[in-house]
Amino acid sequence: MFNRLEISVLPPGPRWAAQLSLRIDGAEVVAAATGEGGRGPLAEQALPADGQGPLWATEGGRRVVLGEPECTGGCCGYLSVFVQRHGRIVRWSDWQVPADEARPPTCHFDAEQYDAELTRALATYTS
């Protein structure tokens, strides 16, 4: 069974520009790892207008920074994941988490649903 990704754009706040909320199977994954005052990926970087953001899965894969705690990633570490496309499956694996946080499990997404969710989030953000 596949995991399900949901992306929403949070409005800008006093400290951060608009950022993304990433839910996997209904659970907010970034806030759980970055804690109070942390931030998720900045929408402008994760969902650029040209559609070639870091969350798009490729065969070669790439490490994607998903957030950092309030004290900054340079202090306690970043939340990041390796995103890779394996045919009709997108895999998020090899999580790296800020100090003392639990590491999320490897996730497998249906590539069609994953791409559709990124496309929907991009259209919502850029419109």
Side-chain angles (χ1 to χ4, degrees):
M1 180 173 203
F2 290 116
N3 298 101
R4 183 164 186 82
L5 178 67
E6 299 169 61
I7 303 171
S8 55
V9 179
L10 304 174
R15 183 169 177 199
W16 305 112
Q19 57 185 305
L20 300 184
S21 168
L22 303 171
R23 292 183 171 279
I24 298 175
D25 301 332
E28 193 357 289
V29 69
V30 176
T34 61
E36 183 74 29
R39 72 160 180 91
L42 299 177
E44 183 177 50
Q45 295 169 356
L47 298 173
D50 68 6
Q52 299 302 309
L55 291 172
W56 287 100
T58 63
E59 275 189 29
R62 71 183 107 200
R63 177 150 302 278
V64 178
V65 174
L66 298 179
E68 64 181 297
E70 184 176 26
C71 64
T72 77
C75 173
C76 293
Y78 294 91
L79 172 66
S80 70
V81 68
F82 193 76
V83 177
Q84 187 172 21
R85 181 177 299 270
H86 297 278
R88 297 178 57 126
I89 298 171
V90 172
R91 181 176 180 212
W92 283 18
S93 62
D94 190 26
W95 290 87
Q96 294 179 353
V97 296
D100 300 324
E101 294 299 329
R103 183 172 295 178
T106 296
C107 298
H108 298 89
F109 306 100
D110 174 82
E112 191 172 307
Q113 185 274 326
Y114 183 89
D115 291 346
E117 182 61 9
L118 282 174
T119 300
R120 186 203 58 74
L122 176 61
T124 299
Y125 175 63
T126 57
S127 63

